[in-house]
Amino acid sequence: MSWGYRRSAPPQQFPLDYAAHLPKYNAEVLKKLARLWVGKDATKLNKEACTKAILRGLTDPAAVQAVIDGLSPFERAGLGLLKRHGQSAPTREFAVELLMLGLPFSGREQRPSYSYHRIEPFYGALNGLLGKGLVLLREWDQAYGYARDLQIDEYHYRPEVFSDPGLLAGVEVTPPTALSLTPVGGVDESGLALQPAEVVLRFVSLVETLRKLGRIDLTSKGRPTKPFLTKLTKALGWEETLGTVSDTPLPQATLFFFQLLQSAGFLRNGPPFSGVALHPQANALFEAPYNAQAATWIRGYRSLTRWTEHVPQGMWLEEDDESGFAKFASLRAALLMALAALPDATAWYRLADLSEEMYDRIGEHFSLRHLQNFYVAYNAIPEQVTKQRAEWQQELHKRWREAEQVWVARAVIGPLFHLGLIALSRQASEKKTEPTLFRLTPLGRAVLYDSFRPTGETTAAALPAVVQDGTCWVVQPNFDVVVYLDRASAARLAFIERIAARKPSTGATALYHLTRDTVYAVLESGLEPGALLETLSRGCDYPLPENIRQTLADWAARREQLAVYRVANVLEFADQQTRDTALAKKPGGGVAVGERYILLSGRQRGRVLSASTSRTVDYLSPPVRCLNVSEEGEVEVAHKRADLLVQGELSAWADADSANGNRWRITRHSVQKAVSTGWTADNILDNLKRRLQHDLPPLLSVAIRAWAGVRTLPTTVAVATDLVLQVTDLEVARAIGGSTLLQPYLRGRLGRQTFLVKHEMVEAFRARLAEFGLQVSGDLELLSSGWKD
Amino acid sequence: MKPSRPRLVPPKQPAADPVEPAGPVGPILHANLTVIEVADPFLLQTLRADRRVGSAILAQLSDCVAIIQPGQGEWIIKQLLKAGHTPKVIDA
């Protein structure tokens, strides 16, 4: 057996089931859990009996009701909170939500038996529920050994808690205890607030832009790559307006909305190596009631990673480290609970007051930065302890105002405002430009406040109904489209986003502009020209201007003028008659092209692949070798092996033989003409070599370089008036030595670069060399006379 | 610099080869080609005359159908868009 690395399957979480989890606990733990169901007799039971007793109790409605009746208000509210989450919740977020309930919880002084550390008050409330087994930590299937304690501290690795559906069925969702906030009167009621339709428009724009961009590139850590984010930011055009210009800044707006979409589960893994893709049902959400949409965004917002509202000074945060964002998720959960605990859902409150109330509930248990713990000095008398505690609390409060209070303000002014949940205002007496007052919008009230309260306890918030498809825009003759958001359905918004470019606009209308590029893009995405005109007309308050109708039709018709088949097959027949016969036998089996061809695209390709063909040429493979060339540059195409492209390639750098269509000739003229159109000697030689059925003759290679005027290769040779040829370049010497064409002129070889030329053929040889672009130097002729003497 | 080609030669009917025996009767399948098709032959002539686009058109099957150099499909679509054309791009 090898001791090497063995890849194992990633750990999986247990099902949300007590029966699956109880066997993971040791006997002592199970006895504690069983006390809730069988009382003190649990101490006498063994492990198996405890498990059975607990499971039996959970399935008995009377026993469940008895247990719930015996719970404290905090425990019942805690279970109600978990019920609101579904059946399970993220551990950290649930722990802070329990603290924000504002109810006294037992077990504040409990301390994990295995720990030397002081108690972690952050998990104090949660440990109260865990200790009784009302909720359990969700386990991993690869955890070793038995759990010896039910409670957790800061260093746990159980990201989720859950409870039994039977237990949850018996409790009601309870609102948190109201905060002690004082409403602010005399506020300008108009304030700043986004209408639900404006929020929908934002998400529709994002989704449609992502769809237009196609591929979504993420880093290995799951963050969008910088080039992709740059492209998305540019396409959306929000970043500057939302980030700096407005009174309600939202930093890194593009990243925020993208991460929110991802956190809400609207991005999913695409095919391998293609990044992630939009969920096909992304648009369906926009047609749901506004409060259902907002609830989805709130769930995504609470657990948002890789983006944050504000990073306090002194807090280290690594962009790619998801766990680093856990503290922000906790604070978001606390903020959302605080908004649910407002004394009056319709009143205006100060942001600073909200932060103070949050501090009162969690300030001693939680900090975005390092939480300073309170330690009592050894032998300190009670007065000293009281004094030290007061100093510690003062310091904590100061640090909260520096960090968390700023964060709370940024969260309310930024994401919560831009999700349409919060209205903002400021008092007339204040000099600050940024809002200092807030209240819930009807949408915010429905999602954050009323959802904790039974129907009928509060007056339901007046939410506008989701708009159905109808007329909602005006198309102007100058190609501008003014969209009235209060009447625009999500489908209409998605349509206009696809066919037109958005222009800057705010308030109740959105402005778009129809351009040839946007219309072309939408036609390319598969929308039929008829459907485009029809939908545009249906959404229009007035008849579509005639010039718009005509221009759109022209743009669509122009697209039909030119088609590019990315991948197509062509069947080549011997003659037109054979082609026509084949086509007549199989109608719809392709389109006749020219005299001898059938063009096959789409489904036709697949059908014909199985048809009997004499030969298949695949153009994704290297080119077919179908050329023969002589030293003199005579090229012959082996037509039995030729493909459709070889003639076109040859025409670039060879002259056609007018008598024989399969014969070509590479000449000084043809090479120089190719060079004048941008070819280089290397291009020509590469092209030729890839097509040749044999090695390229060295002399032709030298000649092509010489004709192309390549100066890097010395082409000077010399011929003695008598018999000696000296060649300065080794490559040229090899070409001459290996040439069958030049052999008749040579008597022999004296050295690697020196040849003996037949006396009577010197002039003919000199002319032959000149044909191949090899100039003869006069200097060497003189030298050769001396050599003779 | 991308080489441009001086002229285009449509694929010719193979000349009769007295040496090689006659091949099988079936047609030849040319697979995985990028093809450009125009409604008006004049448009194809215009494209061929274009220095950038024309260099990638290697063969012409008819007055309205031509073959693009393999691997140059995306490049030529981009060039067509740049030149103000709105090609209908048909995928497999």
Side-chain angles (χ1 to χ4, degrees), chain A residues 631-632 667-668 672 698-708 714-729 731-746 753-758 761-778 780-781:
Chain A
E631 279 189 325
E632 291 170 287
T667 62
R668 179 197 297 269
Q672 286 177 348
L699 185 64
L700 184 61
S701 170
V702 167
I704 289 173
R705 285 179 183 281
W707 290 333
T715 56
T716 304
V717 295
V719 178
T721 47
D722 298 354
L723 298 172
V724 173
L725 167 67
Q726 263 189 326
V727 185
T728 52
D729 185 85
E731 189 182 346
V732 177
R734 281 184 186 146
I736 292 172
S739 167
T740 49
L741 192 71
L742 298 179
Q743 283 308 310
Y745 301 95
L746 302 177
Q753 290 167 251
T754 311
F755 300 89
L756 208 56
V757 183
K758 290 176 184 170
M761 300 181 83
V762 166
E763 284 311 314
F765 184 55
R766 189 196 295 266
R768 196 68 165 161
L769 287 178
E771 275 179 32
F772 289 103
L774 302 172
Q775 302 301 323
V776 179
S777 158
L780 285 181
E781 287 179 31

Side-chain angles (χ1 to χ4, degrees), chain A residues 292-307:
Chain A
Q293 295 184 40
T296 305
W297 303 132
I298 283 296
R299 271 198 300 277
Y301 170 64
R302 192 168 36 215
S303 306
L304 198 63
T305 55
R306 302 189 186 93
W307 180 91

Side-chain angles (χ1 to χ4, degrees), chain A residues 520 563 565-566 568 570 572 617 677, chain B residues 4 28 30 33 35 74 87 91:
Chain A
Y520 168 68
Y565 296 84
R566 274 205 173 99
V570 169
E572 181 187 0
V617 183
T677 57
Chain B
S4 62
I28 300 170
H30 299 275
L33 283 165
V35 173
E74 292 310 311
D91 289 314

Side-chain angles (χ1 to χ4, degrees), chain A residues 351-360 400 404-405 408:
Chain A
L351 280 168
D353 292 349
L354 180 72
S355 164
E356 290 299 301
E357 285 298 308
M358 287 175 66
Y359 171 76
D360 281 350
W400 178 276
E404 284 76 11
Q405 184 163 323
V408 168

